[in-house]
Amino acid sequence: MASREVSAMIKQGFISDPALSLSFSPSRTTLPRLCSPSSSPPPPPAESTRPSQNNPTLFEMMSEENLRGSKTMEESRRRTQRRVAKFLSELNSYSFKNGGLGPSDVRLTVVSTDGQRVSMDVHRRVLSEKSRFFAENLSQRREKGVSHTVEISECDDVEVYVETVVLMYCDDLKKRLIGENVTKVLALLQVSAAIMFEAGITSCLEYLEAVPWSEDEEEKVVSHLSQLELHGSVPEVLQRVSSEPSTSARSDGILMSLLGGVLQAKDDKARREMKTLISRLLREDSLDDDNPFDISKDTLYHLCNRCLSSLVLRLSEAIGTDDSKRDRGVLMAEIAREADNLQWIVDILVKKRMANDFVKLWADQRELAELHSKIPTMYRHEISRITAQLCIAIGRGNILVPRESRFSLLSTWLDALYEDFGWMRRAYKTVDKKLVEDGLSQTILTLSLRQQQVILLNWFDRFLNKGDDCPNIQRAFEVWWRRAFIRRYSDEENGSQLQITVCSYPT
């Protein structure tokens, strides 16, 4: 029930005799409008009689649909009546237990928006003690022996209003709410707030603070509490979904700790699961530009440098190891794990559009590339997947770096990618051969025509000797050929000329 709906709910007529009536409304700003009492409900629509035909007409089908709708509404009304009857029985039971209250002196009637009416005999003393709204308005007529009629009109949910009145007679409200669902308690809270039933407000807030919420319920709780503008226990209720500014300031440190924990995890299965989880959560965060809990670029690059240092150390150990030192198999497994960790961080960098600086950082790893060439391919091919990642991202336009940085990347790592491509393709079903080849082709074609020539002539020779174990980038070769010899956009005297020579990458 939204506040705007509550604002149209209440009209009270306090009648001491046929000649005298008194009406009032709550003073809360959320309930500014008085409403006329609703009339009795209209008679239910008469059921239409449809002639027996094999092919009913459109009118007959509409009539049948209306009839089904009427039956559904009637069934809902009956269920509400049964629940209301249960609450009224409970109310009578509370009144009997509190025999000192004496006979009832207020006739309270709740009228729904569709005209359903529920009347109950209640006590002014209870209403006045429990509700500031009733206390302020019932105090206007205190003549002994005078009965009052109170009507709450245009009520969206009769059942909730009746149950709220029952709560006013209950001694242990918290116990009474056990087993209710969050939606019902929010409705009770809203009515309690409307009539300023403080004990009801407190009990509902204590309930909401103690029970778990589903995601849908969480949104309802936050929305209702913000609309009601309550004070006191509300901040405590919302602590599970809101953080202090100090927590926001520590978010990068928290994320740093989480990411570092994943990189150092000893259980591979748990590490894979947490990588997937954190990647998904960070991806969700990136959809919100105002999200204060995003991880910083400095943190990610700190982790990158940690992985690079570890890779250099592990490769150096692997080259110099012998039977008297660490087990070679264990060492190679650590190399693969560190390369996998770095791939994960690079993927996050690409997703967050922070990978530009990593292209230059990776291109500058000449020591690592030299060590890489001395390790058996079966142990080192994970490292070449990082180069493939970057080429795919550059080819898609997700990384924007200067041409010389792109050429430097290929100068340092392209030979390694060529050598490892066969193992990458066979060892990992997740490696999309065509995706890698397209990314590499697009990256090469972003270079100058002379740089394209150097790289593609080198590839031409390798492909003829390696076949499927070398990336097939003949599409890039075709584009370069047309640019160089067919379209010829440059001046004739400065045009590119085919140079079939043994080439090395310029430094």
Side-chain angles (χ1 to χ4, degrees):
M1 245 180 328
S3 296
R4 55 187 175 81
E5 294 171 345
V6 178
S7 67
M9 287 181 182
I10 298 186
K11 174 182 172 67
Q12 295 78 15
F14 289 74
I15 306 172
S16 57
D17 57 61
L20 177 63
S21 65
L22 175 65
S23 64
F24 54 85
S25 66
S27 59
R28 297 173 65 86
T29 57
T30 55
L31 302 167
R33 185 167 68 88
L34 295 179
C35 305
S36 300
S38 301
S39 58
S40 298
E47 296 185 5
S48 59
T49 305
R50 181 171 62 82
S52 176
Q53 296 179 356
N54 292 331
N55 299 313
T57 65
L58 177 60
F59 175 77
E60 290 167 343
M61 289 189 291
M62 292 175 63
S63 298
E64 188 173 335
E65 183 67 24
N66 289 336
L67 179 60
R68 283 197 296 267
S70 298
K71 289 182 178 179
T72 302
M73 291 178 61
E74 187 61 31
E75 290 173 1
S76 176
R77 183 187 289 266
R78 289 198 194 99
R79 286 195 297 269
T80 299
Q81 288 174 342
R82 286 194 294 270
R83 288 193 293 265
V84 167
K86 174 179 175 295
F87 292 140
L88 293 178
S89 175
E90 190 175 357
L91 178 63
N92 291 332
S93 175
Y94 282 130
S95 298
F96 179 78
K97 290 179 182 178
N98 295 278
L101 294 174
S104 62
D105 50 6
V106 175
R107 182 73 169 175
L108 177 61
T109 300
V110 181
V111 185
S112 68
T113 52
D114 62 358
Q116 184 180 6
R117 304 174 67 89
V118 176
S119 296
M120 63 194 99
D121 295 322
V122 292
H123 300 80
R124 184 175 68 177
R125 173 183 165 187
V126 174
L127 298 182
S128 298
E129 287 180 354
K130 299 298 178 69
S131 163
R132 286 191 290 117
F133 167 70
F134 284 114
E136 293 170 1
N137 291 280
L138 287 172
S139 63
Q140 298 178 24
R141 301 290 297 179
R142 289 185 177 278
E143 290 89 343
K144 186 176 181 180
V146 174
S147 297
H148 297 285
T149 298
V150 180
E151 185 174 288
I152 302 178
S153 301
E154 296 187 21
C155 172
D156 186 59
D157 193 333
V158 168
E159 180 184 338
V160 174
Y161 271 83
V162 174
E163 187 171 3
T164 304
V165 174
V166 173
L167 292 179
M168 297 173 75
Y169 280 79
C170 181
D171 293 328
D172 191 345
L173 274 68
K174 183 182 292 187
K175 181 179 179 180
R176 174 66 172 69
L177 292 176
I178 291 176
E180 294 286 6
N181 60 59
V182 169
T183 301
K184 167 61 80 65
V185 173
L186 285 172
L188 292 171
L189 173 63
Q190 192 153 3
V191 175
S192 298
I195 62 175
M196 292 178 274
F197 174 26
E198 296 298 336
I201 294 172
T202 300
S203 296
C204 289
L205 290 175
E206 289 177 351
Y207 167 93
L208 294 171
E209 193 281 327
V211 299
W213 309 331
S214 68
E215 290 189 11
D216 289 341
E217 289 171 342
E218 178 177 312
E219 293 183 4
K220 290 180 181 179
V221 170
V222 175
S223 174
H224 277 67
L225 294 186
S226 62
Q227 290 176 14
L228 291 175
E229 298 180 352
L230 298 171
H231 302 287
S233 301
V234 172
E236 186 174 350
V237 174
L238 296 180
Q239 278 185 5
R240 72 174 72 174
V241 296
S242 61
S243 59
E244 302 173 0
S246 59
T247 305
S248 175
R250 298 196 307 268
S251 63
D252 199 61
I254 293 172
L255 291 170
M256 173 74 168
S257 175
L258 293 174
L259 293 170
V262 171
L263 297 180
Q264 298 172 7
K266 300 185 184 308
D267 188 287
D268 285 340
K269 181 175 180 294
R271 183 171 64 94
R272 288 193 299 270
E273 290 180 0
M274 289 301 100
K275 281 170 56 180
T276 301
L277 172 62
I278 292 178
S279 294
R280 176 167 54 81
L281 294 175
L282 290 175
R283 187 162 57 250
E284 290 175 3
D285 289 345
S286 66
L287 298 176
D288 183 3
D289 293 335
D290 297 326
N291 177 36
F293 294 99
D294 202 3
I295 190 166
S296 72
K297 178 179 175 181
D298 289 344
T299 294
L300 291 173
Y301 276 91
H302 174 79
L303 295 172
C304 283
N305 284 304
R306 180 195 295 180
C307 290
L308 289 171
S309 298
S310 180
L311 268 178
V312 171
L313 178 61
R314 299 290 182 271
L315 288 172
S316 298
E317 290 182 15
I319 292 171
T321 191
D322 53 40
D323 294 338
S324 63
K325 295 185 179 180
R326 296 184 58 187
D327 181 84
R328 187 177 182 84
V330 172
L331 196 55
M332 294 306 177
E334 291 178 358
I335 291 172
R337 189 180 68 175
E338 287 298 341
D340 181 68
N341 285 339
L342 191 54
Q343 291 169 33
W344 180 50
I345 299 299
V346 170
D347 184 64
I348 294 173
L349 286 170
V350 172
K351 293 286 195 314
K352 292 191 168 294
R353 303 177 183 179
M354 298 177 180
N356 292 3
D357 291 344
F358 186 80
V359 174
K360 186 176 186 307
L361 179 63
W362 188 240
D364 289 341
Q365 300 302 310
R366 293 180 179 84
E367 179 186 2
L368 182 59
E370 179 66 22
L371 293 170
H372 172 277
S373 66
K374 299 175 182 179
I375 300 294
T377 306
M378 63 181 295
Y379 298 119
R380 73 186 190 197
H381 60 269
E382 280 275 11
I383 298 175
S384 289
R385 291 183 66 185
I386 298 166
T387 305
Q389 265 184 296
L390 296 176
C391 288
I392 291 170
I394 292 172
R396 288 174 168 176
N398 294 329
I399 297 179
L400 304 176
V401 292
R403 182 177 64 244
E404 292 310 314
S405 294
R406 302 192 297 272
F407 186 66
S408 178
L409 168 70
L410 297 178
S411 298
T412 303
W413 288 106
L414 189 54
D415 279 342
L417 180 59
Y418 286 156
E419 293 293 333
D420 295 347
F421 186 75
W423 267 96
M424 286 170 52
R425 185 170 56 84
R426 288 188 292 269
Y428 294 96
K429 294 181 180 180
T430 56
V431 173
D432 188 328
K433 175 177 179 289
K434 188 176 185 303
L435 192 63
V436 175
E437 291 170 343
D438 287 347
L440 181 56
S441 295
Q442 293 287 5
T443 301
I444 293 171
L445 292 173
T446 64
L447 304 176
S448 71
L449 203 59
R450 181 59 61 87
Q451 291 169 337
Q452 294 174 42
Q453 174 181 306
V454 170
I455 291 175
L456 289 169
L457 290 180
N458 179 277
W459 165 82
F460 188 82
D461 181 63
R462 282 178 175 270
F463 185 71
L464 289 175
N465 289 282
K466 294 286 187 178
D468 287 343
D469 281 346
C470 181
N472 188 341
I473 55 174
Q474 59 180 290
R475 176 185 169 276
F477 187 87
E478 291 177 20
V479 173
W480 162 74
W481 183 277
R482 294 190 185 100
R483 287 174 175 176
F485 305 113
I486 299 176
R487 299 192 183 104
R488 301 180 66 83
Y489 293 115
S490 59
D491 294 337
E492 186 68 26
E493 61 272 16
N494 294 324
S496 298
Q497 297 181 5
L498 183 64
Q499 299 176 5
I500 308 289
T501 59
V502 178
C503 302
S504 59
Y505 299 122
T507 58

